[in-house]
Amino acid sequence: MIGISAICGSLRGELAAFDVDSGRMLWSVDLGGRLAGAPLATREAVIAALDDGSARAYTLGGKRLWEAPGVLEGAASLFLASAADARVIVLSRRLAVLRPGAGARGGAYPE
């Protein structure tokens, strides 16, 4: 939840933000695939892990920022590693670090 928005994904492959007071949908995007785990909202972006192995970032207004292909395998969990620099940990069959604002990959294990 960021400010007055609740972020969620659907089984149909959508990512959406809702106003928590009114329940009104603020924005929605078609991900073109299914989610591999729950989305994560940071101060800068909303990150979604997809079942095709990619992670995608969207602005808090729903505009696509970047895509990082091949960062996960199978089901994934997203964690905010550090609020100070907003690193996101992607944990699946591999471990990856993403920097949401820059769209940069910080490393992965195993490579």
Side-chain angles (χ1 to χ4, degrees):
M1 194 162 74
I2 298 292
I4 60 167
S5 299
I7 308 293
C8 66
S10 77
L11 293 175
R12 295 182 306 216
E14 293 175 308
L15 184 66
F18 296 87
D19 181 291
V20 295
D21 292 325
S22 69
R24 183 177 63 90
M25 182 184 292
L26 301 172
W27 56 264
S28 174
V29 295
D30 181 1
L31 296 170
R34 293 179 57 130
L35 288 167
L40 174 74
T42 71
R43 292 180 196 185
E44 300 175 331
V46 177
I47 315 298
L50 280 77
D51 66 355
D52 67 359
S54 67
R56 291 190 193 146
Y58 295 85
T59 67
L60 299 180
K63 294 187 182 197
R64 191 168 172 178
L65 290 171
W66 51 261
E67 179 173 357
V71 295
L72 60 112
E73 293 178 28
S77 295
L78 303 176
F79 303 96
L80 187 60
S82 168
D85 65 3
R87 286 180 295 167
V88 172
I89 303 293
V90 180
L91 182 60
S92 61
R93 290 187 189 119
R94 61 178 13 157
L95 176 73
V97 179
L98 301 173
R99 297 190 185 278
R105 206 169 153 173
Y109 177 83
E111 284 291 329

